[in-house]
Amino acid sequence: RDSEERYRMLFTAMDEGFCIIEVLFDDDLTPIDYRFLEVNGAFEKQTGIQAAKGRLMRQIAPAHEQYWFDVYAKVALTGEPVRFENHAKELHRWYDVYAFRIGQPEDRHVAVLFSDITERRRIEGQLREADRNKDEFLAMLAHELRNPLAPIRNAVQIFRAKSPPVPELQWATEVIDRQVYQMTRLVDDLLDVSRITRGQIELRKERVELAEIVNSAVEASRPLIEKWGHELTVTIPPQPIELEADLTRLSQVLLNLLNNAAKYMEQAGRIWLTAEPQGGGVLIWVKDTGIGIPAEMLPHIFDMFTQVDRSLDRAEGGLGIGLTLVQRLVEMHGGTVEAHSEGPGKGSEFVVRLPVVNGETPQGAARDGETVVSPAARRILVVDDNRDAADSLALLLRMKGNEVHTAYDGLEAIGAVAVFHPDVVLLDIGLPKLDGYEAARRIREQGGGAGIMLVALTGWGQEEDRRRSKEAGFDHHMTKPVEFAALQKLLAESHPE
């Protein structure tokens, strides 16, 4: 009696729905219905079904999905419990269900414990939609920010080539160039947040020496390190250490660590970058004498948007996503990264472990850091609805001896190709009248269009954008603001012999 009372008390008081059903089969043991033998007080609230006891489910909801009958039949026949989530369309609800056999196997009785999770699923759907909207917003933001950065960077190149050697002008040019680079880096980091959360970062791996990765990161971080008056000591083994890696992404890893060390340290601090082979890989330490990391922050230091110091004097602190990028990129290379600190004011140390490549380095492999060979003169059509971007790039290309024509929308670009007969078309994607994708398709369809090199020069730089540009017929995809040296290299490498 005590046991029965406890069961009844629990059965009545629980706020989850609970029922015992009898699964009904035809002669071939195909489930055809089930009858409610017992229901608790929360059953009606969770289902909206009144007076269910003794009734058949097909009577209550004739269009109830066969899935429900099949899953309960399997439990009744095998005795294996099951937990699942599923939509009951005729009841207009989602359920989280745990079902298990009860009584003797021949009874075909199943106990069902369930909760209505319709509201939770609705909120999850809203969150997914908000996440999609966030990704679209970030992509649009990056595009809109990249558009003005492109003509600014072009103008810097023109200043360098044409301005007199006046120290003040040279200084101003370098300031603009550094700030454009900083803005570009922030835009790229912002987009990387979206790519990482959706698993859309793709590595372009090749065999590369550790020294090349280190040198690239050190060179990029040097302006910030020198600005704060820090001393940087780099120690790497004299023998070559090769990795199968994306040079740009691993350089980004070390650059983020060096920049963090420089930003979160009082002036005239010290930074050490040390690498040495260990086991089947290489260990890289980035150590500093900076503000350190509190013990309670260490477990969260690689979390998105985490910053140890958010004070106003750390205005260059960025978005708080640098270490998240570091961790994800290292893991994508098959490595690990750890953070260590003895506490506030005692500096920080980040340890990166990466696998290395065994064997000889392929000879003659080209590297991005090699000297760019100036291409022979080309006939180039520059298409961009941002006239400053189009005109400034056209001027730069003319200064290198090219014959250049400009167009400012997609339809004008198609007409210009027919008249100008360019060797190369540098084509924006977000164009008025006709977007760059359709313009590229129509250019390919024109006489001689198959032999034109089409380069997407755009603020749209996500993997989906690159896929679409390739499908539209583009040969290359470059994101704004493009490094003019990289564009020159592309033109040189693709020039016919």
Side-chain angles (χ1 to χ4, degrees), residues 3 15 27 40 53 60 73 87 105 116 133 163 181 197 234 255 260 266 295 368 371 390 408 422 427 435 447 476 491:
S3 176
D15 59 358
D27 293 339
N40 73 339
K53 186 174 180 178
I60 297 168
H87 189 203
D116 180 355
N133 292 338
S163 63
Y181 170 79
T197 55
V234 179
L255 173 61
N260 266 15
E266 299 301 325
D368 290 343
T371 302
Y408 305 110
L427 184 61
D435 67 39
H476 305 280
L491 295 174

Side-chain angles (χ1 to χ4, degrees), residues 118-168:
T118 308
E119 180 65 12
R120 192 193 83 193
R121 296 291 296 225
R122 184 187 67 81
I123 294 172
E124 289 173 350
Q126 290 179 336
L127 290 174
R128 284 192 296 271
E129 180 64 24
D131 194 50
R132 282 193 295 270
N133 292 338
K134 179 259 298 179
D135 291 335
E136 292 174 3
F137 169 76
L138 289 177
M140 179 63 72
L141 176 65
H143 176 262
E144 295 303 320
L145 290 176
R146 280 171 170 158
N147 269 333
L149 290 175
I152 295 172
R153 173 160 281 174
N154 293 339
V156 168
Q157 297 288 344
I158 295 169
F159 266 117
R160 282 180 170 157
K162 292 294 187 180
S163 63
V166 178
E168 291 81 1

Side-chain angles (χ1 to χ4, degrees), residues 301-368:
I301 199 66
F302 295 105
D303 292 349
M304 197 82 76
F305 306 120
T306 296
Q307 288 181 310
V308 173
D309 186 351
R310 294 182 178 269
S311 56
L312 293 178
D313 64 338
R314 296 292 172 184
E316 293 186 77
L319 303 172
I321 61 179
L323 290 179
T324 303
L325 293 176
V326 166
Q327 184 184 53
R328 302 295 176 83
L329 291 173
V330 168
E331 289 174 349
M332 290 175 70
H333 281 85
T336 60
V337 59
E338 300 173 355
H340 304 280
S341 177
E342 295 183 5
K346 296 185 178 181
S348 307
E349 181 181 45
F350 290 85
V351 184
V352 177
R353 179 187 293 274
L354 293 166
V356 298
V357 174
N358 296 320
E360 297 296 323
T361 305
Q363 297 300 313
R367 300 297 185 198
D368 290 343

Side-chain angles (χ1 to χ4, degrees), residues 60-345:
I60 297 168
H64 196 49
E65 295 85 2
Q66 184 63 32
Y67 170 86
W68 296 90
F69 301 98
D70 292 341
V71 72
Y72 293 147
K74 184 178 180 181
V75 173
L77 294 173
T78 67
E80 296 177 2
V82 63
R83 176 176 288 279
F84 62 94
E85 291 183 6
N86 198 46
H87 189 203
K89 293 181 181 179
E90 195 166 359
L91 301 181
H92 308 291
R93 305 189 188 207
W94 276 88
Y95 289 104
D96 179 4
V97 180
Y98 180 68
F100 55 96
R101 189 167 69 186
I102 190 171
Q104 299 302 313
E106 60 271 18
D107 295 336
R108 274 85 184 264
H109 291 177
V110 176
V112 184
L113 181 66
F114 61 94
S115 296
D116 180 355
I117 58 170
T118 308
E119 180 65 12
R120 192 193 83 193
R121 296 291 296 225
R122 184 187 67 81
I123 294 172
E124 289 173 350
Q126 290 179 336
L127 290 174
R128 284 192 296 271
E129 180 64 24
D131 194 50
R132 282 193 295 270
N133 292 338
K134 179 259 298 179
D135 291 335
E136 292 174 3
F137 169 76
L138 289 177
M140 179 63 72
L141 176 65
H143 176 262
E144 295 303 320
L145 290 176
R146 280 171 170 158
N147 269 333
L149 290 175
I152 295 172
R153 173 160 281 174
N154 293 339
V156 168
Q157 297 288 344
I158 295 169
F159 266 117
R160 282 180 170 157
K162 292 294 187 180
S163 63
V166 178
E168 291 81 1
L169 286 178
Q170 292 176 341
W171 173 82
T173 301
E174 294 302 321
V175 168
I176 296 170
D177 193 38
R178 283 196 300 271
Q179 296 307 313
V180 169
Y181 170 79
Q182 175 73 355
M183 188 67 179
T184 304
R185 186 183 68 83
L186 289 175
V187 169
D188 288 340
D189 281 357
L190 195 63
L191 274 178
D192 279 344
V193 174
S194 174
R195 296 185 188 121
I196 279 178
T197 55
R198 293 181 296 164
Q200 291 188 340
I201 285 186
E202 294 184 7
L203 300 181
R204 295 173 174 83
K205 289 186 177 182
E206 59 180 341
R207 189 170 289 193
V208 59
E209 286 191 9
L210 176 65
E212 189 173 359
I213 298 170
V214 171
N215 291 339
S216 175
V218 169
E219 181 62 27
S221 66
R222 195 171 295 282
L224 185 61
I225 291 173
E226 291 178 351
K227 172 185 174 180
W228 288 93
H230 301 318
E231 177 186 340
L232 172 63
T233 302
V234 179
T235 307
I236 60 175
Q239 72 272 22
I241 296 178
E242 294 180 344
L243 300 90
E244 188 73 22
D246 185 319
L247 171 62
T248 300
R249 289 302 190 175
L250 275 191
S251 296
Q252 182 183 2
V253 166
L254 298 185
L255 173 61
N256 283 357
L257 294 178
L258 290 171
N259 282 350
N260 266 15
K263 288 183 292 190
Y264 296 107
M265 184 160 51
E266 299 301 325
Q267 288 199 345
R270 296 198 65 188
I271 304 171
W272 294 267
L273 192 161
T274 307
E276 68 177 40
Q278 189 174 103
V282 60
L283 288 185
I284 307 171
W285 292 269
V286 176
K287 187 176 181 180
D288 63 64
T289 58
I291 63 174
I293 305 171
E296 66 273 13
M297 289 289 294
L298 275 172
H300 309 287
I301 199 66
F302 295 105
D303 292 349
M304 197 82 76
F305 306 120
T306 296
Q307 288 181 310
V308 173
D309 186 351
R310 294 182 178 269
S311 56
L312 293 178
D313 64 338
R314 296 292 172 184
E316 293 186 77
L319 303 172
I321 61 179
L323 290 179
T324 303
L325 293 176
V326 166
Q327 184 184 53
R328 302 295 176 83
L329 291 173
V330 168
E331 289 174 349
M332 290 175 70
H333 281 85
T336 60
V337 59
E338 300 173 355
H340 304 280
S341 177
E342 295 183 5

